[in-house]
Amino acid sequence: MKQIIHWFLFHMSWGACLFGALNDAVWVSFCVSATCLALTILLSSPKRRNDILKVAVIIPLGILFEFINAALPFYEFVPNSATPPIWLLCFWLAFSI
């Protein structure tokens, strides 16, 4: 049952990030992703402390990765922007689940 909850919350978070990106509603991406992350840890995590520590490492690394990618000339989200979009950073909340 815990795996089903985990799967459902991950996909809900992922879908919210896409919805926020397509509809220019980044607050939806952040709120749903953060809520899904918290619910995943509360409802399906056997080792909450370890999962919180993993999240505390993965999210900053993911954000750093996206800022490095935004600074490089490989891809560009918003013309002349040095920062990645918020919805993309919210994906790292989902990935950390």
Side-chain angles (χ1 to χ4, degrees), residues 13 29-30 33-34 37 55 59 89-97:
S13 179
S29 299
F30 178 75
S33 294
L37 175 62
V55 167
I59 291 173
L89 301 179
C90 290
F91 265 122
W92 287 96
L93 290 172
F95 295 150
S96 70
I97 293 178

Side-chain angles (χ1 to χ4, degrees), residues 39-82:
L39 287 173
T40 299
I41 290 173
L42 289 173
L43 299 176
S44 68
S45 175
K47 297 180 181 178
R48 289 185 186 140
R49 180 177 161 81
N50 288 348
D51 286 346
I52 291 169
L53 291 174
K54 287 177 194 174
V55 167
V57 170
I58 290 170
I59 291 173
L61 286 176
I63 291 171
L64 177 66
F65 176 77
E66 294 303 335
F67 271 93
I68 290 170
N69 279 334
L72 295 174
F74 299 125
Y75 63 92
E76 187 175 348
F77 293 104
V78 178
N80 301 322
S81 176

Side-chain angles (χ1 to χ4, degrees), residues 9-22 28-29 32 91 94:
L9 290 172
F10 170 77
H11 286 285
M12 199 166 153
S13 179
W14 186 84
C17 290
L18 289 178
F19 176 84
L22 295 173
V28 172
S29 299
V32 173
F91 265 122

